[in-house]
Amino acid sequence: MNITGNTIFIPGSTSGIGLALAVALQARGNKVIIGGRREDLLVKIAAEHPGLHTVTIDTADPASITKAAAEVLDRHPDLNVLIAMAGIMRIEDWRQPETFLASAESVVTTNLLGPIRLIAAFIEHLRSRPDATIMTVSSGLGFTPLRVTPSYNLTKAAIHMLSESLRLQYAGTSVQVTELVPPSVRTDLLPGQAESEFAMPLDEFVAEVMGLLESQPEAREIQVERVRFLRYGEARGDYDQVVATLNARDPHGN
């Protein structure tokens, strides 16, 4: 995607990577619409960041996605970029079905069905634009599993394969599919992660992402240097060592 001159909708961007990326993209001359469930938080963010547009959306609710999509396209018919950012991460013990099933269903609904429904809601419009981008958000954990987050790992692996598949289907159209592959980043995705020395500082992550978007506008995957250890373990032939290292070093791994 081009780094400037876009109209971008980022559902799930009221905190963490989503909000930081929204602010960075706005600063580069893009019109940015952020989406989230809490109207009071959206109002607060809009006041703190003049020029950001907002829409209420719950990406776990199909009706909310349909309503929000109609609102976004009515207000911003020049929309040409969708960044499917919303996601949740839960620690689960799959040895105890009474504790993991509800969590797993919630994670799959938000992390996998959410992006699928978002793409369904916007693809017809995006295909009508001369230059459009769908940015999916996977994770290094889609390639190397963290032991305590099985549902998160599986949804991010699925997002990667969805991205690969859509790229084939949209070949020859105006829609580019770009996959953002974060490592562990200092956000509130899990308790304690915002203070974790293992995780990448949020500002450093977003700065590197913006640099990659600018220097590699045709990139299929946006990979900061720190995620490549997880992304390519199998290709390098050291996958077992990568899995062991990740689960030993990540404070949530034990």
Side-chain angles (χ1 to χ4, degrees):
M1 59 177 280
N2 293 324
I3 197 66
T4 190
N6 303 290
T7 298
I8 305 171
F9 178 41
I10 315 178
S13 53
T14 54
S15 64
I17 292 174
L19 180 57
L21 190 59
V23 172
L25 286 167
Q26 183 197 28
R28 293 303 297 268
N30 299 283
K31 180 166 66 172
V32 180
I33 307 105
I34 63 171
R37 292 178 299 166
R38 291 176 47 191
E39 291 189 30
D40 60 330
L41 185 54
L42 291 171
V43 170
K44 180 175 182 291
I45 291 170
E48 293 173 345
H49 302 282
L52 281 182
H53 302 264
T54 65
V55 65
T56 303
I57 183 171
D58 180 356
T59 58
D61 180 354
S64 178
I65 290 175
T66 300
K67 180 180 178 183
E71 182 178 341
V72 168
L73 294 178
D74 180 61
R75 295 182 181 179
H76 309 282
D78 53 346
L79 180 84
N80 69 315
V81 178
L82 170 67
I83 302 180
M85 180 62 64
I88 59 174
M89 189 177 194
R90 303 272 173 77
I91 292 174
E92 301 164 349
D93 184 350
W94 278 53
R95 296 165 297 188
Q96 303 180 47
E98 69 279 5
T99 67
F100 78 76
L101 183 57
S103 171
E105 290 175 343
S106 177
V107 171
V108 169
T109 297
T110 299
N111 293 9
L112 186 54
L113 290 181
I116 289 171
R117 291 164 175 162
L118 283 164
I119 292 168
F122 285 97
I123 187 57
E124 185 175 6
H125 170 82
L126 292 173
R127 289 191 62 187
S128 74
R129 304 299 300 167
D131 183 15
T133 298
I134 294 172
M135 180 180 286
T136 59
V137 183
S138 63
S139 169
L141 300 188
F143 302 91
T144 300
L146 185 63
R147 183 184 67 85
V148 296
T149 56
S151 297
Y152 184 85
N153 305 339
L154 76 88
T155 58
K156 294 307 183 177
I159 288 295
H160 170 67
M161 190 50 64
L162 176 64
S163 307
E164 293 282 299
S165 303
L166 293 183
R167 200 172 290 117
L168 295 174
Q169 290 214 354
Y170 297 155
T173 75
S174 62
V175 179
Q176 175 182 344
V177 179
T178 303
E179 178 183 349
L180 177 61
V181 191
S184 179
V185 178
R186 292 180 195 172
T187 69
D188 293 320
L189 194 59
L190 281 179
Q193 187 163 319
E195 296 78 39
S196 172
E197 291 298 320
F198 174 78
M200 185 175 185
L202 178 58
D203 57 347
E204 292 181 15
F205 171 74
V206 171
E208 190 171 346
V209 166
M210 294 297 291
L212 291 169
L213 288 173
E214 184 168 25
S215 63
Q216 302 176 24
E218 302 299 323
R220 297 165 69 165
E221 293 184 27
I222 301 300
Q223 309 166 3
V224 298
E225 187 61 33
R226 195 153 171 169
V227 82
R228 297 173 71 85
F229 176 70
L230 302 179
R231 172 67 177 87
Y232 294 111
E234 191 165 8
R236 290 190 307 267
D238 60 356
Y239 176 77
D240 289 345
Q241 179 182 348
V242 174
V243 173
T245 300
L246 168 67
N247 283 276
R249 292 186 60 199
D250 191 310
H252 297 99
N254 297 310

